[in-house]
Amino acid sequence: MSDAMDQPPLVVHLTHALSFGGLESLLVERINRMPAGAYRHAVICLTRSNPDFARKIRREGVQIVELHKPAGLALSTHAALYRALRRLRPTVLHAYNLAAVEYGPVALLAGVPVRVHGSHGRDAADPHGLNPKHNALRRAMVPFYDCCYANSGAMLDWLRATIKVSDEKSCLLSNGIDADRFRAKDGPDEEGAPIVIGTVGRVEQVKNHAALLDAFLLLRERQPQLRERLRLAIIGDGPVLNQLRARAADAGVADAVWLPGTRTDVADILRTFRVFAMSSIAEGTPGAALEAMATALPVVGTRVGGIPEVIEDGVTGTLVPPSDPAALAAALEPFVLDAAHAARVGTAGRERVLRKYSMGAMVAAYQSLYDTLCERKTPLRKPAKSCVE
């Protein structure tokens, strides 16, 4: 083993950055919740970490290493990662998404016995996973990993069909939600209170918030009597945030559209929403939608990626075609008009989260994957249960 015999094995999480985002939030939850006696953890950021976000890690002794990778190929980053891995001597390298996939060979050369790659979403410039160069790189890296998992059924199908990952080397690891933190609001809205349509997530092209803004404008036209009460909240930061703010101002709705950037009080903000909306053109398993459902909000989302696996159409929300603001507005309308209907559908969503997407189940599944691979690759590990699909 590469770890000292008297210490739990070390897992190094390799990610593009450590900052506010769905993938990163769940990574931190797994670090905080996995039993301390099972694994130690470290995080290597190819670029850098956000100090405010890093403070969410409550587990003691978690090292954070920043490699400050520049844009492009940056072979010097491979050398820096090799040195970091030789110093840390982990048992497991856990790499996330396309940004980190190319570093499997570095981990092998550095003597890391167990190597895992996770697909939690695709590159914003290639939301459907069609880029031939990216896919050639992914296929070339498959032999360097012991497991290539996905966090949605649609992503797992793509891994197997397009990237040619074998069934034996791939599995599904679903996201989990803290249903104690994300909980329903206390009581109904006050009479005449604002009706908030909201979403949470990185503000980038793949999320297509422009279509959500267009749907909001259409809804104001369709329901003029509610115009003064209707609000749109888009929580998150990203490369198109200023562009979206300008678009709202040009449409004359800057006073009705809240674009605050990153917030640390998302659970509280969700309880101010009437309905949650997802306008993405591609998604893995949308953790933000699960958080909304745990908050007992109905969810209106596009029929792409892992969204249909989460939203039960007509039961916990409504599915619409992507890039169709009119369909999105029509689907939001019943929840805007009828608070009781929104509450009933939201309650069904929370029940679904409690049944299928618990945080405990997610953490146990990842730990089981580590255990299985460590048992196979490092014989001194104690026997453990197999990978949970």
Side-chain angles (χ1 to χ4, degrees):
M1 286 180 63
S2 58
D3 291 294
M5 291 297 295
D6 59 347
Q7 290 184 308
L10 175 66
V11 179
V12 163
H13 302 271
L14 180 64
T15 184
H16 179 260
L18 186 64
S19 189
F20 293 91
L23 182 158
E24 294 83 0
S25 294
L26 290 176
L27 186 162
V28 168
E29 289 286 358
R30 292 195 299 274
I31 290 175
N32 288 338
R33 292 168 180 266
M34 200 168 287
Y39 293 94
R40 295 175 294 129
H41 299 269
V43 181
I44 297 182
C45 309
L46 292 169
T47 54
R48 56 180 52 86
S49 64
N50 180 310
D52 291 334
F53 183 80
R55 281 192 282 271
K56 291 178 175 287
I57 299 176
R58 300 187 302 273
R59 176 65 53 79
E60 293 184 0
V62 177
Q63 293 189 52
I64 299 176
V65 179
E66 299 177 335
L67 300 184
H68 301 285
K69 178 185 180 296
L73 182 59
L75 290 176
S76 61
T77 304
H78 292 71
L81 176 62
Y82 176 85
R83 291 192 295 270
L85 292 176
R86 292 296 294 170
R87 175 174 61 83
L88 293 170
R89 302 192 70 80
T91 298
V92 180
L93 176 83
H94 188 157
Y96 296 84
N97 281 345
L98 176 65
V101 72
E102 68 187 79
Y103 299 97
V106 176
L108 176 63
L109 288 173
V112 182
V114 175
R115 299 169 299 278
V116 175
H117 184 265
S119 294
H120 291 252
R122 302 190 187 96
D123 188 71
D126 181 31
H128 303 293
L130 302 176
N131 186 301
K133 290 184 179 179
H134 291 174
N135 289 346
L137 173 63
R138 289 178 172 114
R139 282 190 287 268
M141 291 298 107
V142 169
F144 295 96
Y145 289 100
D146 300 293
C147 179
C148 298
Y149 71 87
N151 74 337
S152 74
M155 187 73 74
L156 181 61
D157 291 343
W158 171 81
L159 273 180
R160 290 172 172 175
T162 302
I163 311 304
K164 309 302 181 184
V165 183
S166 68
D167 290 3
E168 293 75 19
K169 189 180 268 195
S170 57
C171 66
L172 172 65
L173 295 176
S174 296
N175 289 346
I177 293 300
D178 184 348
D180 293 327
R181 179 181 171 215
F182 294 96
R183 61 185 187 279
K185 68 180 73 174
D186 297 324
D189 294 335
E190 295 181 5
E191 186 71 26
I195 302 170
V196 184
I197 299 163
T199 193
V200 178
R202 186 159 170 78
V203 185
E204 56 187 352
Q205 294 290 353
V206 72
K207 303 296 185 180
N208 199 15
H209 292 110
L212 177 56
L213 178 56
D214 289 343
F216 177 71
L217 296 173
L218 288 172
L219 196 54
R220 281 165 54 97
E221 293 178 5
R222 293 168 66 124
Q223 298 296 331
Q225 78 281 7
L226 296 178
R227 184 170 297 181
E228 297 305 313
R229 294 178 61 197
L230 283 172
R231 300 287 187 274
L232 176 63
I234 300 175
I235 313 301
D237 202 354
V240 299
L241 178 59
N242 289 333
Q243 178 183 332
L244 199 61
R245 285 171 173 159
R247 186 172 180 140
D250 291 343
V253 292
D255 59 339
V257 178
W258 188 38
L259 292 152
T262 297
R263 298 281 298 206
T264 59
D265 55 346
V266 169
D268 294 329
I269 291 172
L270 283 173
R271 285 188 281 275
T272 69
F273 293 178
R274 169 76 65 85
V275 55
F276 192 88
M278 293 201 74
S279 49
S280 305
I281 58 176
E283 276 288 346
T285 297
L290 292 172
E291 291 171 355
M293 290 165 64
T295 312
L297 292 173
V299 181
V300 174
T302 46
R303 198 183 294 272
V304 299
I307 294 179
E309 299 171 35
V310 170
I311 302 171
E312 189 174 356
D313 194 23
V315 178
T316 67
T318 307
L319 294 170
V320 298
S323 304
D324 190 339
L328 186 55
L332 291 167
E333 194 169 29
F335 302 115
V336 165
L337 292 174
D338 189 345
H341 172 59
R344 286 192 298 271
V345 174
T347 298
R350 179 168 173 82
E351 291 171 353
R352 181 174 173 85
V353 166
L354 293 175
R355 188 171 64 250
K356 295 192 64 175
Y357 296 99
S358 76
M359 185 65 72
M362 179 191 74
V363 173
Y366 277 85
Q367 183 178 340
S368 180
L369 174 61
Y370 296 157
D371 286 346
T372 300
L373 295 176
C374 286
E375 179 189 351
R376 183 192 310 163
K377 302 293 291 290
T378 58
L380 294 179
R381 284 286 288 160
K382 294 179 180 180
K385 296 181 181 178
S386 298
C387 175
V388 177
E389 287 209 18

